[in-house]
Amino acid sequence: MELRRGFAFMKRRVGSRFSLFAKMNGLLVILFIPIVIVFTYSNGTASDVISKELQVSNIKQLSFLSSQIDSRINQMMDFVITFSRDPNVRKFNGLNIWDDRYDRMQTRYVVQEKMVLQSGITNVWPVQFTVYSQQNKEAISNSNNAVEYDEDYLERNMTGKWTYGDGQTVPPGQPKAFYWFYTDSFGQQGTLTGSNLVVEASFRHENIQNMLDTFKAGGQGNPLFYHKGETPILNRSASKPLADELVRFLDAQTLGDTMQKVVRLEKKSYLVSAVKSPQLEWYLVDLVPLDQIWGPISSSRNLFYLSMILLFAVGISASVLLYRNVQRPIRKLIRGLQSVQRGDFSVRINPNVHNEFAFLFHRFNHMSRQIQDLIENVLNEKLRAREATLKQLQAQINPHFLYNCLGYIINMAQMKDEEAVVSMAYNLSAYYRYTTRIERQTATLDEEIQLIVNYLDIQKLRNGRIHYHIDIPEEMLGQHVPRLMLQPIVENAVMHGIGKSYAAGEIRISGAMSEGCCRVFIDDDGPGMEPEQQDSLNRKMREPLQAEMGCGLWNTNQRIVHLFGGSSSLHFTRSLLGGFRTEIVWEPDGASERPHYVTGQGEMKHADDHR
């Protein structure tokens, strides 16, 4: 039976020991899992959208380039048709009777000049025109090379379509040109009747190559002009091995008007898009390296996952450190305080930590030792005042208050808000440095005001709707008052005034010298108290401490009366702000003049130098 109780006790101890640690780690997991799921979903959605947009955009660009090529070809064809009906061209074919040789030379000159002029207008797309007169067996061209009339050549190429090459042998390494032959025979294109006028239009592969280079300069692709069985026309910076592998892939495909596939070439992924040119019946093919496009996206995704893993590891480490360096010392401190609360002032805490809690443990041990000595050596009245001071000091070393402040610092550090971390750490260190100094039982009002500024700045960081205003006359700042006289009253205004109303948020601390007394007013704009409750609270300040009554305000009142006499006290009324007002009254001790502080909206300003 005893063994079972022992196991149950150990189970409770272990469960309570790791409950906060498990909760924090569980919270980390709950926070991280939705983030990873949402990011994975959004990243996949974005990748799908980018992929679709890339495919659509690539097809549109190829279609636009194809339309440009067809537009230039149509311009050539329109010129050829119009040119074949020109009177001088018809005159060259011998439809009119030539008067003399000069007239013939003039006609040839005019025809050739028109072809040269048309080719010069489209200098970005150079074209070679040749006019053949079947009746006169003559030819005129804008080419620099002499052109002879060849009947077999015309019959071989009269297909009515654009062809790659003119049937003649091309030297190795020299690309072919595109040709189109037009005859003036109505309804009999592609045939020669013996008296036809034939116009030949041709352009070299450089025209296509120039447009491919322009297209490549505006994107990430690698375009080429492809026709099965023919040598493809590449852009000038294309990779020949990559183009050969792509051609082998295209030769094995059945291509329609458009085609788009993801292909592995040279151990890399490429988006292959093809658009057919209606006029030439060739395909504009673009090769887009997907690794260059998806590489940054994949790197960003992997970096996010790595960051999440590191953040999770840091979160787990932070929870472990928080457990070891905060939760354990706080529990020791709570157990010590509980022992003191039961009247065991001989309790001591072993300060085996090496952080800020070591100072708190030393202070706690010193406090317990002092209380024990006072119980043995001091009169009952003096013991009561001392006990009230020590209890008030214990109330300030609030582990939950410190825990929340440290939690705030951790959260702001994780959020990289360095300004908030520095501000909270500065105010927290100043606050605890003052509250843990018990070598003097009194302090100047100026020091008390500075503590209140630190305390309210801490509360303002945690609750942004808190605003405060402090206006104390300079002749009062040098007055000596009981330590921690204002803090419990201001804390009461924060917790019970502002904390109980979402519309409240203002605290006003002011001072005045009147009728030979110093007066300090602490106002809030909270819900306040009914007149009957205020009268009851004022009566309790003059009565002995009761069990159902909080000791903070009563202790403060007793310390003020003990230090300044019976004419000093706390008094509670309704505030001009609509909430609760606490008035502190005491007789001055003639302290020296000090600078006048005026604070507002959570910022302290110096009345002399406006610091």
Side-chain angles (χ1 to χ4, degrees), residues 321-560:
L321 290 176
L322 187 64
Y323 172 77
R324 292 172 59 90
N325 297 300
V326 176
Q327 188 176 359
R328 283 182 178 177
I330 287 177
R331 285 184 173 177
K332 288 183 178 181
L333 191 58
I334 291 175
R335 286 195 293 268
L337 291 172
Q338 289 173 343
S339 298
V340 171
Q341 186 179 11
R342 291 191 299 267
D344 181 11
F345 298 104
S346 62
V347 64
R348 300 291 183 268
I349 300 177
N350 183 18
N352 58 352
V353 295
H354 302 284
N355 53 26
E356 292 80 359
F357 282 98
F359 176 76
L360 293 178
F361 292 161
H362 284 295
R363 291 283 92 190
F364 176 84
N365 294 337
H366 182 65
M367 177 191 68
S368 299
R369 191 178 302 111
Q370 282 189 328
I371 294 175
Q372 191 174 19
D373 293 341
L374 286 173
I375 290 176
E376 296 174 356
N377 303 314
V378 183
L379 295 175
N380 189 36
E381 188 66 29
K382 188 174 181 180
L383 177 60
R384 176 179 295 180
R386 182 66 170 175
E387 184 180 2
T389 301
L390 293 175
K391 285 184 178 179
Q392 185 63 52
L393 180 59
Q394 292 172 13
Q396 305 315 307
I397 310 176
N398 188 331
H400 296 288
F401 175 74
L402 178 61
Y403 176 83
N404 291 334
C405 293
L406 292 177
Y408 177 88
I409 291 175
I410 291 173
N411 291 335
M412 292 301 102
Q414 290 176 344
M415 294 172 64
K416 307 300 182 184
D417 193 344
E418 297 178 359
E419 182 177 355
V421 171
V422 172
S423 179
M424 174 62 81
Y426 170 77
N427 286 288
L428 189 62
S429 64
Y431 176 84
Y432 273 96
R433 185 182 303 115
Y434 183 82
T435 58
T436 53
R437 291 176 58 187
I438 60 173
E439 65 275 6
R440 290 189 295 115
Q441 298 303 309
T442 62
T444 63
L445 184 58
D446 185 27
E447 293 173 333
E448 285 289 293
I449 291 297
Q450 184 57 53
L451 173 67
I452 296 306
V453 170
N454 294 135
Y455 175 78
L456 289 176
D457 282 345
I458 290 173
Q459 295 295 346
K460 182 175 176 62
L461 287 171
R462 295 173 55 196
N463 186 354
R465 62 186 174 90
I466 293 179
H467 299 279
Y468 63 88
H469 180 83
I470 302 177
D471 186 4
I472 303 296
E474 58 185 5
E475 63 267 18
M476 292 179 59
L477 293 174
Q479 293 292 321
H480 286 272
V481 297
R483 289 176 61 83
L484 305 174
M485 179 183 73
L486 299 178
Q487 198 276 340
I489 301 173
V490 175
E491 182 178 1
N492 186 70
V494 171
M495 299 301 176
H496 301 287
I498 295 175
K500 291 187 177 181
S501 174
Y502 289 105
E506 182 176 358
I507 292 178
R508 184 176 299 171
I509 303 172
S510 57
M513 297 283 293
S514 64
E515 300 178 357
C517 292
C518 295
R519 300 177 185 272
V520 174
F521 306 95
I522 297 95
D523 295 89
D524 64 70
D525 61 349
M529 298 176 66
E530 296 296 330
E532 295 80 8
Q533 294 175 319
Q534 292 177 358
D535 294 338
S536 175
L537 186 59
N538 284 322
R539 286 195 305 270
K540 290 178 180 180
M541 291 296 104
R542 299 187 294 270
E543 298 173 355
L545 180 63
Q546 302 174 11
E548 71 277 4
M549 177 180 165
C551 64
L553 296 178
W554 189 88
N555 282 343
T556 302
N557 182 67
Q558 291 298 312
R559 289 190 292 136
I560 293 173

Side-chain angles (χ1 to χ4, degrees), residues 153-200:
Y153 174 78
L154 294 178
E155 290 180 354
R156 185 171 63 247
N157 290 283
M158 287 301 298
T159 62
K161 298 180 180 179
W162 283 93
T163 59
Y164 189 53
D166 57 358
Q168 296 181 348
T169 304
V170 178
Q174 182 176 351
K176 302 176 184 178
F178 288 91
Y179 292 88
W180 183 61
F181 292 82
Y182 175 79
T183 177
D184 60 350
S185 298
F186 293 101
Q188 297 181 356
Q189 283 295 323
T191 60
L192 296 175
T193 61
S195 62
N196 290 119
L197 174 74
V198 180
V199 181
E200 173 192 336

Side-chain angles (χ1 to χ4, degrees), residues 1-20:
M1 188 66 180
E2 294 296 331
L3 183 61
R4 183 179 300 174
R5 289 179 180 177
F7 278 121
F9 175 76
M10 289 299 296
K11 185 176 180 180
R12 288 194 301 270
R13 290 289 302 273
V14 172
S16 62
R17 183 179 180 182
F18 293 100
S19 60
L20 180 60

Side-chain angles (χ1 to χ4, degrees), residues 121-358:
I121 292 175
T122 59
N123 56 357
V124 295
W125 185 272
V127 182
Q128 178 177 323
F129 297 103
T130 304
V131 180
Y132 296 92
S133 174
Q134 192 178 18
Q135 184 171 341
N136 297 326
K137 308 300 182 183
E138 293 185 11
I140 306 176
S141 176
N142 63 343
S143 174
N144 295 328
N145 301 323
V147 178
E148 299 293 337
Y149 181 86
D150 187 346
E151 187 79 15
D152 295 336
Y153 174 78
L154 294 178
E155 290 180 354
R156 185 171 63 247
N157 290 283
M158 287 301 298
T159 62
K161 298 180 180 179
W162 283 93
T163 59
Y164 189 53
D166 57 358
Q168 296 181 348
T169 304
V170 178
Q174 182 176 351
K176 302 176 184 178
F178 288 91
Y179 292 88
W180 183 61
F181 292 82
Y182 175 79
T183 177
D184 60 350
S185 298
F186 293 101
Q188 297 181 356
Q189 283 295 323
T191 60
L192 296 175
T193 61
S195 62
N196 290 119
L197 174 74
V198 180
V199 181
E200 173 192 336
S202 64
F203 62 90
R204 297 176 57 81
H205 76 288
E206 284 86 353
N207 295 11
I208 302 294
Q209 215 168 30
N210 291 337
M211 300 195 76
L212 295 178
D213 290 341
T214 303
F215 180 83
K216 184 176 182 179
Q220 296 182 332
N222 195 9
L224 57 88
F225 211 45
Y226 164 81
H227 190 278
K228 189 173 183 178
E230 299 288 353
T231 302
I233 301 175
L234 309 179
N235 63 83
R236 291 180 175 83
S237 58
S239 170
K240 189 65 169 58
L242 180 61
D244 293 340
E245 190 171 352
L246 175 60
V247 168
R248 287 193 295 271
F249 165 76
L250 294 174
D251 289 342
Q253 302 296 315
T254 301
L255 303 179
D257 291 338
T258 60
M259 185 275 291
Q260 201 167 49
K261 289 185 178 180
V262 176
V263 183
R264 294 284 296 181
L265 302 175
E266 294 186 346
K267 299 180 179 181
K268 294 182 180 179
S269 296
Y270 292 88
L271 176 63
V272 178
S273 304
V275 174
K276 186 177 182 180
S277 173
Q279 293 290 352
L280 302 180
E281 296 185 350
W282 281 53
Y283 286 89
L284 272 171
V285 182
D286 189 23
L287 197 64
V288 178
L290 294 179
D291 292 341
Q292 294 183 9
I293 297 175
W294 295 116
I297 299 176
S298 300
S299 299
S300 177
R301 180 195 59 206
N302 297 335
L303 181 61
F304 173 81
Y305 288 140
L306 179 61
S307 300
M308 295 300 293
I309 293 173
L310 293 178
L311 285 175
F312 185 76
V314 170
I316 295 295
S317 302
S319 66
V320 172
L321 290 176
L322 187 64
Y323 172 77
R324 292 172 59 90
N325 297 300
V326 176
Q327 188 176 359
R328 283 182 178 177
I330 287 177
R331 285 184 173 177
K332 288 183 178 181
L333 191 58
I334 291 175
R335 286 195 293 268
L337 291 172
Q338 289 173 343
S339 298
V340 171
Q341 186 179 11
R342 291 191 299 267
D344 181 11
F345 298 104
S346 62
V347 64
R348 300 291 183 268
I349 300 177
N350 183 18
N352 58 352
V353 295
H354 302 284
N355 53 26
E356 292 80 359
F357 282 98

Side-chain angles (χ1 to χ4, degrees), residues 70-86 118 127 129 162 180 182 199 201 279:
D70 289 342
S71 174
R72 295 187 183 277
I73 293 174
N74 288 331
Q75 290 177 3
M76 294 168 47
M77 297 173 67
D78 291 342
F79 170 75
V80 168
I81 295 173
T82 304
F83 182 67
S84 65
R85 292 176 173 79
D86 187 90
Q118 177 65 22
V127 182
F129 297 103
W162 283 93
W180 183 61
Y182 175 79
V199 181
Q279 293 290 352

